[in-house]
Amino acid sequence: MTQGTLINIRNFVLIALAQVLIFSRIHLFGYVTAYIYLIFILKLPRHTSVNALMLWGFLFGITVDIFCDTPGMNAAAATAMAFARNLFLSTFTHKGLPDDFIPGANSIKWGSYIVYSLMCITLFYTLLFLLELFTVSHITPLLISISGSTLLTMFFVIVTECFSFRR
Amino acid sequence: MQSILSLLVKYNHWFLFVLLEGISIVLMFSFNSYQGAAFFTSANGIAGNIYSFMADVDGYFGLKDENEALVEYNRRLTGELLALKDEISAIKDSTAIAGNAFVQRNKEVFSFATAKVVNNSLNRVNNYITIDKGSADGITSEMGVFNEQGVVGIIYQTSDNFSIVMPLLNSKSMISCRVEGSNSFCTLKWDGGELQYSYLIDLPRYALFEPGDTVITSGFSSIFPAGLPIGEIQNLEDSDDGMFYRAKVKLFVDFASVDNVTVIGSSTKEEQEQLEKSIDREK
């Protein structure tokens, strides 16, 4: 087991606890919930295999599901987001970059990183809320939930990024 | 053969993707249908224990409010007890035998257990509450749950030490109830909107209700005894098909702060269900 994997496992436990004990309990206006564990998947190195990404996504999703009594919903949405992540990221890679890098404001600049995160997170919330409202046909609350939660999570993505950003 | 293998290797992430999504979707749909699914919810041992630890910690911050609520509840119960004692002694004077039979029968029917809420969701269409008592404490699914404010919900699934409650704030929850002072009964159903409001559906048009009337349990379902408070009627409107009234009800229970609840089990429930089933079979 490499040191990288150990660090990832430690981060997994810390982020999962923060997610279920703090962030999952914050519901703004009854519609908006931030799933900050997505940042973990956004920040995995460029050359992480799609299989590894999906397994991390599934693991995070199922953990959050177990704690929040939403069996399968987070797992399905996070797996799909992890599946699509490298595709989104490849749009923003250009020749000047090193072979392997951690996506972020340092490597692909603020603009690209924000657009990349926004694409991933919007995909996640669209799937999550569609699955949740499977049987209910309220379109307006659905759109409010998707856009509000995406914006709130983007806020946390940008805040975390500020900590690791070097000029 | 060689080409099939290389195809499998080349697109292996697609297979993993389908497999993981498959597991998720099976979990999503099996949650509602079988008992073993409790493992994949906060009723499982690890999640339940982490939550009860957290609930212990932040339970201290609510002790004062909780205490005040209990004192108030106690005061109300004492009042009711005295009123009932008065009433019983009045009945006893006139009809000694019937009075005794009534009191004794009520004693045996219901059993109570108190539990603490360890997890509570509010932001979804189907919300659930996790409590720290399970089948080891004699709790089974379809028992009633209430607190000092009123009806909370019905036990949905149990594991050894934890149970999941389907609260009134769940679009699948249906509670049989009636309006105090009238005999016609109706059903309480939540439509996924505001947390403090639910709706009475199937209110007969001939029945007379006014905003401010109290909604109580009917006692028909044998889950709850008759007369537990649920909420207060806010306004009346026509149902979609125009056959019934639909009433907006302000719920008495503040679901954002439920902490201690009482689980009520009825010893005659099975008897009643069997009787009702036997009629269905004959049809």
Side-chain angles (χ1 to χ4, degrees), chain A residues 20-21 25 27 33 50-51 54 58 62 66-73 75-76 79-80 83 132-133 136, chain B residues 12-14 16-17 20-21 23-24 27-28 31 40-42 44 47 50-51 54 118-119 123-125 130 164:
Chain A
V20 299
L21 296 180
R25 296 185 170 205
H27 311 299
T33 313
V50 184
N51 287 347
M54 283 193 292
F58 182 77
I62 198 84
I66 285 176
F67 277 88
C68 301
D69 296 324
T70 50
M73 289 180 198
T79 308
F83 182 72
E132 181 169 348
L133 295 172
V136 183
Chain B
N12 67 72
H13 56 278
W14 278 99
L16 185 68
F17 176 70
L20 293 179
E21 293 291 344
I23 297 175
S24 311
L27 280 177
M28 220 178 316
F31 178 47
F40 286 102
T41 65
S42 57
N44 93 35
I50 291 179
Y51 272 141
M54 280 302 281
V118 296
N119 184 39
N123 62 329
R124 294 197 301 270
V125 183
T130 316
I164 291 189

Side-chain angles (χ1 to χ4, degrees), chain A residues 15-26 67-68, chain B residues 47 50-51 53-55 58:
Chain A
I15 294 173
L17 281 177
Q19 176 67 54
V20 299
L21 296 180
I22 302 166
F23 288 94
S24 290
R25 296 185 170 205
I26 302 172
F67 277 88
C68 301
Chain B
I50 291 179
Y51 272 141
F53 174 75
M54 280 302 281
D58 61 38

Side-chain angles (χ1 to χ4, degrees), chain A residues 62 70-72, chain B residues 22-41 128 156-157 172:
Chain A
I62 198 84
T70 50
Chain B
I23 297 175
S24 311
I25 287 165
V26 167
L27 280 177
M28 220 178 316
F29 289 104
S30 61
F31 178 47
N32 302 317
S33 51
Y34 78 111
Q35 286 292 311
F39 176 77
F40 286 102
T41 65
Y128 296 98
Y156 185 49
Q157 294 200 342
K172 286 184 272 181

Side-chain angles (χ1 to χ4, degrees), chain B residues 106-124:
Chain B
N106 252 348
K107 259 184 208 159
E108 297 158 8
V109 175
F110 291 105
S111 63
F112 298 90
T114 55
K116 204 169 155 49
V117 171
V118 296
N119 184 39
N120 185 1
S121 71
L122 296 169
N123 62 329
R124 294 197 301 270

